[in-house]
Amino acid sequence: MSHAILRYRPKDAPPEWEAVADGVRMLVATVADHVPYPLTTVLRVVAMLAVNAERAGVPRDPAVWLEQPTITRYVLTNTGLKGGSSQTYAALLSRVREALVWVERGEPARPHLRADRSGAEPYSTSDLTRLDVWSGNLPPTPTGQGNARAMLALGAGCGLFPSEMLAVRGTDVHVLPSDAVVVRVPGTNRLVVCRSLWEQALAELARQAGKRYLYAPDRQVERPKNAISNWVARNKPGDPKVPVPDMRRLRVTWIVSLLRDHVPTHLIAKAAGLKSAAALAPYLAWVPEISKDAAVRLLRGWA
């Protein structure tokens, strides 16, 4: 490995390469054993980042290359990156940065982080609208409309896992003086702010439930087996245009909506119960690329 690193030189190396070559090799040698990517890929991406930073006048320091503004500038201004490749490069560089921090602190290599989407994809806006209409057409009972509203509000509105949704009681939901609605996720230290589209429904469900559960409020067991899947099977939409409600897809929809609104990734990861913002990388497949004008405004520090 060390021989491959020492001999590495980019194909058609630009003039800036010689100035950053030693830093690239040193950085890759430090993190190569701690990132889940092929060595040649890590070398190529880090070299491209370093050259981009050199052209931008960034200090010739690997730690500065791996700062988020430098990575963001590289991804947004590199016209050679398209779609999934830009997302993959951003994820790889985030992992390199994390590995470098861990190694410098003398700690063991961090475990490989995996996202929790399990192959699910977000609902479209029209899908959510159809699900909202479907929920309103169910019997006006706690286990009819109530269960459907709880799924939508706690899934698409708060991004909870199914097990977390089952544990939420009315007393876990609070309305702040600003009228924002938050849910304290049972069994965790997370406080999740509900998306505005679902906050009124969540607040009303909590008011009705009181100390009882929001989903199936009269049950005696906190996490009954197949409580959600069995209910969905009995109540799933009859119209083929209405998608089947799925808590995994509702959670992915919530995460993707936050990414599309450019909410800071560390806040999303914390609210979602993920170990690191790096675990958000797979969700970027559903986030449209930012326009060049918007990229310029953000990089300049304008809203």
Side-chain angles (χ1 to χ4, degrees), residues 52-224:
N52 184 274
E54 182 73 13
R55 290 171 176 170
V58 174
R60 204 171 292 161
D61 181 347
V64 180
W65 296 343
L66 292 172
E67 290 179 351
Q68 191 58 54
T70 309
I71 294 175
T72 301
R73 181 191 300 110
Y74 161 64
V75 172
L76 293 178
T77 60
N78 192 331
T79 57
L81 301 182
K82 300 295 183 182
S85 62
S86 63
Q87 296 149 13
T88 299
Y89 284 16
L92 183 152
L93 292 170
S94 293
R95 292 299 301 274
V96 169
R97 180 180 63 243
E98 292 174 357
L100 180 64
V101 171
W102 277 65
V103 171
E104 287 183 340
R105 289 176 179 173
E107 300 175 3
R110 62 187 301 279
H112 180 54
L113 297 176
R114 300 177 65 184
D116 54 74
R117 64 187 182 93
S118 304
E121 64 180 63
Y123 289 111
S124 66
T125 301
S126 60
D127 283 340
L128 284 179
T129 301
R130 292 187 178 102
L131 282 170
D132 193 30
V133 173
W134 158 78
S135 69
N137 289 329
L138 291 172
T141 62
T143 55
Q145 287 184 15
N147 279 359
R149 294 290 186 186
M151 289 184 66
L152 294 174
L154 294 174
C158 301
L160 300 195
F161 290 103
S163 60
E164 293 173 340
M165 184 194 77
L166 290 173
V168 173
R169 297 176 183 268
T171 49
D172 295 317
V173 178
H174 305 277
V175 180
L176 303 182
S178 63
D179 291 331
V181 179
V182 300
V183 56
R184 188 173 298 279
V185 184
T188 76
N189 60 358
R190 284 158 49 219
L191 191 68
V192 181
V193 179
C194 183
R195 299 291 273 170
S196 60
L197 181 64
W198 305 103
E199 61 187 10
Q200 290 185 4
L202 181 58
E204 179 60 22
L205 284 168
R207 186 191 66 78
Q208 295 174 0
K211 296 182 179 180
R212 299 179 300 164
Y213 296 109
L214 264 65
Y215 181 88
D218 293 326
R219 59 189 158 92
Q220 301 300 312
V221 180
E222 179 178 323
R223 297 181 182 178

Side-chain angles (χ1 to χ4, degrees), residues 28 49 199 243 269 278:
V28 174
L49 170 72
E199 61 187 10

Side-chain angles (χ1 to χ4, degrees), residues 279-299:
L280 294 170
Y283 301 95
L284 295 175
W286 294 294
V287 180
E289 292 189 12
I290 192 170
S291 68
K292 290 185 178 180
D293 289 343
V296 170
R297 290 198 301 273
L298 288 171
L299 291 171

